[in-house]
């Protein structure tokens, strides 16, 4: 409730929007980030991506282990670092971004990130609908058809909207229970695979190129990169003196404990079922590989996980919509993305012929879109340890973050140059940059890394407007508590 009291965290409906959370309400614990980032990765898409490491990238089991460890460390390490801004400012990431880009300048990366979330939420909604269709087929022999596709997709989106609309407290509670359920059944699947896999075939796989290991790491890390702008949204209820190391550690740990086994399971499954990496949908293969008594509950739990992933994404998208000028409460701003994911999801399920091909192409472009913001915002965190709560909400000329006509030239220029530069080094089925061939960056699929480096370094080099000290508040802690 928006009362300024400590009662708000116990309410089912979170009504707080872009405004920074008062210190009295910031009672969260860093350990709560662990199940948050566990839930953000409960997706069978990781199985298919693990299979791609073996089938498409030609890596062996040991190389897949290296990739599955490196990817979450890199991507969720960045998630944790940017999440520190949430405990510093107590506001959502795209609201804090106003201090960096200016009140008008923030509309540029905000619009791109909001649109990019449409695609991510569509992918997850489609995957969830496929999970339901697969369960119906396994249990009742009901085959997919256009009517069922529309109904299952609609049900998935409506439930997602309900969870994300209620807010952070409901999302976190669901994440906690989903973590235990998914963890238990993942162990069950692992035990089954250990007992029924021809391990000689797995270990006899020849090693692939080192360049493809790097490319595979980039492919899996790209999913984590998409969460970086949302990191402050889930850390804003942490007290100002929360441990920065704990924020980073819980982010990496929560993601890693899911990514590692899921990717390895996909890699192992692909040895006996190579078609897994190019399946028409990313879910139905589980009904063929696993016995029904494991496949059905596992798919249902994975479905819950995908609901939570989309709920977290839509939760953040609601804030982004508000920063773009939607004058509606956060829980209604979420509905905009819900409708969009329903429409786009229907198109993907009914028209697209290669789900995985579309997904990988989308991931590569999505990561670049998010990384341009990450580079600038992350570089700005090196010089800014606090945010002016009043200036964040003041979108007019009186705001301390108005800068020059509402824009911070350094941030906007660095963002735009980084975005264009990253795309030039990016290659996918949908887009090939002119500089993506015959160089390590393009070969390794690291266009998103180039984007972060270009935008971050350029922002540091360009002259910037002075950082306006935040106005002191009665609730603020001492300056020492604001340091990382």
């Amino acid at each position: 409730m928006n009362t300024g009291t400590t009662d708000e965290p116990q309410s089912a409906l979170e009504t707080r929007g872009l405004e920074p959370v008062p210190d009295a309400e910031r009672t969260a614990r860093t350990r709560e980030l662990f199940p948050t980032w566990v839930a953000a990765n409960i997706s069978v898409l990781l199985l298919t991506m693990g299979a791609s490491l073996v089938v498409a990238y030609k890596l062996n089991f040991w190389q897949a282990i290296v990739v599955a460890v490196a990817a979450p460390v890199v991507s969720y390490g960045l998630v944790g670092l940017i999440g520190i801004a949430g405990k510093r400012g107590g506001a959502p990431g795209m609201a804090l971004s106003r201090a960096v880009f200016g009140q008008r300048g923030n509309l540029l990366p905000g619009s791109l990130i909001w649109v990019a979330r449409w695609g991510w939420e569509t992918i997850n909604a489609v995957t969830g609908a496929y999970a339901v269709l697969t369960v119906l087929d396994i249990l009742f022999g009901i085959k997919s058809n256009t009517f069922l596709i529309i109904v299952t997709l609609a049900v998935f989106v409506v439930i997602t909207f309900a969870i994300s609309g209620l807010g952070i407290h409901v999302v976190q509670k669901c994440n906690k229970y989903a973590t235990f359920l998914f963890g238990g059944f993942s162990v069950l699947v692992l035990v089954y695979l250990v007992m029924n896999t021809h391990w000689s075939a797995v270990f006899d796989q020849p090693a692939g190129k080192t360049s493809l290991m790097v490319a595979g790491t980039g492919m899996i890390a790209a999913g984590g990169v998409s969460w970086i702008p949302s990191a402050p949204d889930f850390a804003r209820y942490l007290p100002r003196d929360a441990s920065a190391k704990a924020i980073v550690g819980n982010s990496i740990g929560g993601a890693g404990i899911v990514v590692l086994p899921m990717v390895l399971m996909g890699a192992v499954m692909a040895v006996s079922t190579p078609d897994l990496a190019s399946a028409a949908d990313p879910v139905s293969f589980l009904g063929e590989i696993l016995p029904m008594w494991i496949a059905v509950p596992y798919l249902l739990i994975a479905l819950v996980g995908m609901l939570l992933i989309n709920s977290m994404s839509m939760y953040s998208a609601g804030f982004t919509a508000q920063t773009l000028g939607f004058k509606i409460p956060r829980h209604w701003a979420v509905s905009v993305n819900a409708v969009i994911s329903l429409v786009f999801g229907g198109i993907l399920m009914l028209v697209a012929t290669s789900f995985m091909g579309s997904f990988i192409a989308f991931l590569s472009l999505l990561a670049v879109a998010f990384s341009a913001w990450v580079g600038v915002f992350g570089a700005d965190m090196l010089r800014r340890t606090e945010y002016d709560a009043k200036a964040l909400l003041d979108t007019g000329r009186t705001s301390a973050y108005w800068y020059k006509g509402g824009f911070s030239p350094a941030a906007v220029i660095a963002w735009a140059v980084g975005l264009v530069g990253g795309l030039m080094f990016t290659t996918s089925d949908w887009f090939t940059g002119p500089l993506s061939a015959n160089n390590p960056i393009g070969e390794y699929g690291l266009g998103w890394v180039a984007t972060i480096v270009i935008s971050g370094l350029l922002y540091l080099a360009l002259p910037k407007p002075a950082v306006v000290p935040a106005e002191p508040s009665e609730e603020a802690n001492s300056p020492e508590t604001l340091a990382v």
Side-chain angles (χ1 to χ4, degrees), residues 174-449:
C174 292
N175 287 348
K176 180 179 178 180
Y177 293 123
T179 295
F180 290 117
L181 283 171
F182 188 75
F185 272 88
S186 291
V187 170
L188 187 62
V189 174
L190 280 171
V191 171
Y192 177 84
L193 288 177
V194 168
M195 295 176 64
N196 292 275
T197 295
H198 298 292
W199 288 102
S200 59
V202 173
F203 293 130
D204 287 344
Q205 289 285 109
K209 296 180 180 179
T210 301
S211 61
L212 292 178
M213 285 182 64
V214 178
T217 301
M219 173 189 70
I220 296 174
V225 170
S226 69
W227 285 113
I228 298 177
S230 301
D233 306 2
F234 301 101
R236 63 193 297 231
Y237 282 91
L238 292 172
R240 296 176 187 269
D241 60 354
S243 167
K245 290 183 179 179
I247 293 174
V248 176
N250 280 289
S251 300
I252 295 175
I257 202 171
V258 179
V259 173
L260 176 59
M262 291 285 283
V263 169
L264 292 184
M265 283 192 289
V268 170
M269 290 176 178
V271 173
S272 58
T273 313
D275 291 342
L276 166 58
S278 58
D281 71 73
V283 178
S284 60
F285 68 89
L286 286 174
E288 302 171 5
I289 295 177
L290 300 175
M292 185 176 71
W293 62 274
I294 295 180
V296 171
Y298 191 66
L299 278 171
L300 291 176
I301 294 171
L303 173 62
V304 172
M306 287 177 281
L307 280 169
L308 294 177
I309 292 174
N310 245 24
S311 297
M312 291 171 61
S313 181
M314 285 192 183
Y315 173 74
S316 292
F319 292 129
T320 305
Q322 286 183 315
T323 64
L324 296 178
F326 286 79
K327 304 298 184 181
I328 51 179
R330 179 202 57 78
H331 48 285
W332 286 116
V334 169
S335 65
V336 179
N337 277 54
V339 172
I340 291 170
S341 64
L342 179 60
V343 174
F344 285 4
I347 294 173
L348 181 59
M349 293 184 77
L350 296 172
V351 178
T353 57
S354 173
F355 179 93
M356 199 58 198
S358 299
F359 176 60
I360 296 299
F362 166 73
L363 267 186
S364 62
L365 298 179
L366 175 77
V368 172
F370 282 73
S371 295
W373 179 90
V374 172
V376 175
F377 189 89
D380 185 80
M381 285 181 63
L382 298 176
R383 60 192 285 270
R384 188 191 308 272
T385 58
E386 54 187 326
Y387 298 85
D388 188 325
K390 181 179 178 181
L392 288 175
L393 299 179
D394 181 3
T395 58
R397 299 177 182 276
T398 56
S399 174
Y401 299 140
W402 186 253
Y403 302 132
K404 295 184 178 180
F407 295 83
S408 169
V412 173
I413 291 173
W415 171 80
V417 173
L419 178 62
V420 174
L423 288 174
M424 293 180 72
F425 286 106
T426 298
T427 181
S428 73
D429 291 345
W430 295 350
F431 173 83
T432 299
L435 302 180
S436 62
N438 302 320
N439 69 80
I441 296 175
E443 180 183 0
Y444 295 161
L446 299 180
W448 61 273
V449 175

Side-chain angles (χ1 to χ4, degrees), residues 121-122 124-130 132-133 145-163 303 307 310 314 335 337-347 349-350:
E121 290 154 10
T122 296
N124 282 314
V126 167
T127 307
Y130 276 132
V132 176
L133 292 170
N145 57 58
T146 301
F147 175 76
L148 270 181
I149 286 175
I150 295 173
V151 170
T152 53
L153 185 63
V155 170
F156 184 92
V157 171
V158 168
I159 296 175
T160 300
F161 167 65
I163 296 173
L303 173 62
L307 280 169
N310 245 24
M314 285 192 183
S335 65
N337 277 54
V339 172
I340 291 170
S341 64
L342 179 60
V343 174
F344 285 4
I347 294 173
M349 293 184 77
L350 296 172

